[in-house]
Amino acid sequence: MRKPTIRQLIPAVCCLALTAGAIVTAAPATALGSPGPSTIHAVPGDPATPPPSATPNMVGGHRVTEDVPFIAALHGKDDQRFHCTASIIAPQWILTAKHCVQDGAAKTFRIGSLTRSSGGQTADSADIRTAPGADDVALVKLAKEVEVSQYAKVGDVGEAKVGVAEHVFGWGYENSDWTNLPENLKTSSGDIQQTDCGQGFGDAFCIHNDGETSGGDSGGPAIDDATGNIIGVCSFGHKPTQGDGFGGYQTVVSQEVRDWIKQTAGV
């Protein structure tokens, strides 16, 4: 996430993803109009990436200091590496992005902690369900029930509209070149600028915030300020970030996806 100094948005198309249990770096798409950023799934990169520094500073956005009971950090069960951000929406159900769990390998979630490697409660995956078609949404059933003080509530059909004020959470990289993965949860705020903006990424909306989407934010929630409901999960961003507050979020409140979540998780 970076401070916005407005620059022309250069769209691109990509369709490769992270697979849990191991990292698969998304192949950068060729941007329309060269030079420009690649638009790729917002997942962490190569395992050789240096560990995060001790500084709490972010590239835009803000460090979260108040409890977010429903937030979850998604780790590979076998490699124990952090992969994505997620939310618990019911005692045994986690909501995240499809590309974070696409290979079906076992996952471990750290739930309710502002730090991705410590605190909160942990639970393993028991089953992974992915939304139909190109929709970049997944539900993970946990092996046990996890009780938290607040489960994330999925929004109503049609709630994600242009102009809706929102805020997002994630453990995305702090630097514009997608380096320096933070330990502490981050947030940024702004509004929805465009719907149907996810060329090759499913039914997505694009935001303009005081921070930008980067690797590690994938699967994290976009929250409607007015209702407190989840209206999207982080799907893609620009690498390197462009100083324009950009983030791409798969809607979870289209009729198709909202019905699928209700049928699958019962909420």
Side-chain angles (χ1 to χ4, degrees):
M1 301 181 183
R2 320 189 43 183
K3 292 181 180 177
T5 55
I6 303 299
R7 178 174 171 174
Q8 182 181 8
L9 175 64
I10 307 175
V13 178
C14 158
C15 54
L16 206 66
L18 166 76
T19 58
I23 292 293
V24 176
T25 304
T30 303
L32 303 180
S34 183
S38 296
T39 303
I40 63 177
H41 285 308
V43 295
D46 190 272
T49 300
S53 70
T55 174
N57 294 333
M58 297 172 54
V59 183
H62 315 278
R63 178 172 171 172
V64 177
T65 57
E66 297 183 357
D67 288 345
V68 185
F70 56 81
I71 203 68
L74 186 163
H75 299 257
K77 184 177 180 180
D78 294 332
D79 64 14
Q80 293 298 302
R81 292 191 62 249
F82 169 75
H83 293 307
C84 285
T85 307
S87 306
I88 187 167
I89 61 171
Q92 274 191 278
W93 288 100
I94 294 280
L95 176 67
T96 190
K98 181 190 293 185
H99 69 268
C100 293
V101 298
Q102 197 154 274
D103 73 343
K107 315 295 182 293
T108 295
F109 295 89
R110 186 173 298 279
I111 301 163
S113 177
L114 300 184
T115 54
R116 59 183 172 84
S117 301
S118 62
Q121 304 178 69
T122 59
D124 295 337
S125 62
D127 190 19
I128 295 172
R129 313 279 183 88
T130 56
D135 293 317
D136 190 18
V137 181
L139 288 166
V140 181
K141 188 174 184 179
L142 301 175
K144 65 180 182 180
E145 292 191 354
V146 175
E147 183 177 347
V148 296
S149 60
Q150 178 190 1
Y151 297 100
K153 182 182 178 183
V154 182
D156 299 322
V157 172
E159 193 171 331
K161 300 175 182 178
V162 171
V164 167
E166 45 68 28
H167 59 284
V168 302
F169 294 106
W171 278 282
Y173 285 120
E174 296 184 318
N175 296 337
S176 63
D177 61 352
W178 290 31
T179 57
N180 193 26
L181 197 64
E183 180 65 22
N184 297 101
L185 185 67
K186 302 184 300 182
T187 185
S188 71
S189 59
D191 57 30
I192 296 177
Q193 293 281 298
Q194 184 181 355
T195 56
D196 300 320
C197 64
Q199 301 176 30
F201 291 94
D203 186 359
F205 58 84
C206 292
I207 61 174
H208 180 270
N209 279 21
D210 60 358
E212 292 179 69
T213 293
S214 61
D217 287 327
S218 271
I223 309 292
D224 182 339
D225 286 355
T227 64
N229 296 338
I230 290 186
I231 54 176
V233 294
C234 183
S235 182
F236 56 93
H238 285 163
K239 183 181 181 181
T241 55
Q242 298 295 294
D244 55 8
F246 176 80
Y249 281 73
Q250 164 72 52
T251 181
V252 296
V253 292
S254 65
Q255 187 73 61
E256 180 181 45
V257 175
R258 189 66 188 90
D259 287 349
W260 175 78
I261 292 173
K262 177 68 174 178
Q263 292 164 6
T264 305
V267 294

